[in-house]
Amino acid sequence: KKYQWELRFCQEVLDELHKPKYQLIAWAFYQPVDPVALNIPTYHSVIKKPMDLSTIQSKLKTGQYENAKEFESDVRLMFKNCYRFNIAGDPTYAAGQQLEAVFDEKWEQ
Ligand SMILES: Cc1ccc(Nc2c(-c3ccc(O)cc3)nc3c(C)cccn23)cc1
């Protein structure tokens, strides 16, 4: 199908974000935010649509993305959530900015 190569590129970009060289800035995004573990009980009242790299990976593997646009909007949602919940200048906010820059670089390659 014509979207096959698009989705193959999405996997390539996702693999890039998981590379060890980005671990320092990506690790907070590997798994869903755990409000209990992180002691942020307000998280789910602030963030209506949580998103993270493991959820994106499973959606890609189970054919839940029709095309690259749908994949990209989940990646952007993940970063928007990070900027909405975290405070500019905080480590996680800065990590999100840096990881989004890596994504942008690879995405528009
Ligand atoms: C008190 C407090 C303040 C900020 C945070 N941010 C944060 C987030 C986070 C990621 C994405 C997101 O949309 C929201 C939060 N992930 C973490 C992790 C893995 C460790 C430490 C802090 N972390 C945690 C606790």
Side-chain angles (χ1 to χ4, degrees):
K1 271 181 19 156
K2 86 173 186 330
Y3 301 124
Q4 223 34 55
W5 66 269
E6 270 190 31
L7 298 174
R8 214 176 19 256
F9 181 64
C10 294
Q11 187 60 62
E12 188 185 310
V13 173
L14 206 51
D15 291 344
E16 181 74 16
L17 299 184
H18 280 99
K19 282 184 178 166
K21 65 179 173 180
Y22 300 123
Q23 199 165 5
L24 260 183
I25 57 175
W27 66 279
F29 306 97
Y30 287 163
Q31 296 301 322
V33 173
D34 179 347
V36 176
L38 295 171
N39 189 24
I40 45 179
T42 63
Y43 189 73
H44 288 307
S45 52
V46 174
I47 301 300
K48 292 303 167 203
K49 292 200 289 181
M51 190 47 63
D52 71 284
L53 294 175
S54 70
T55 303
I56 292 169
Q57 178 64 86
S58 64
K59 285 178 77 172
L60 196 54
K61 281 207 182 322
T62 55
Q64 293 179 60
Y65 295 125
E66 265 297 290
N67 53 46
K69 215 74 201 113
E70 291 181 0
F71 165 86
E72 180 185 12
S73 69
D74 267 357
V75 174
R76 301 289 184 200
L77 169 63
M78 178 182 76
F79 290 124
K80 290 278 170 299
N81 290 345
C82 173
Y83 306 142
R84 179 171 305 146
F85 185 81
N86 295 284
I87 297 160
D90 275 7
T92 311
Y93 191 105
Q97 290 176 304
Q98 290 167 55
L99 192 65
E100 187 167 29
V102 171
F103 175 76
D104 289 342
E105 178 78 27
K106 187 84 183 164
W107 192 245
E108 303 304 341
Q109 195 167 33

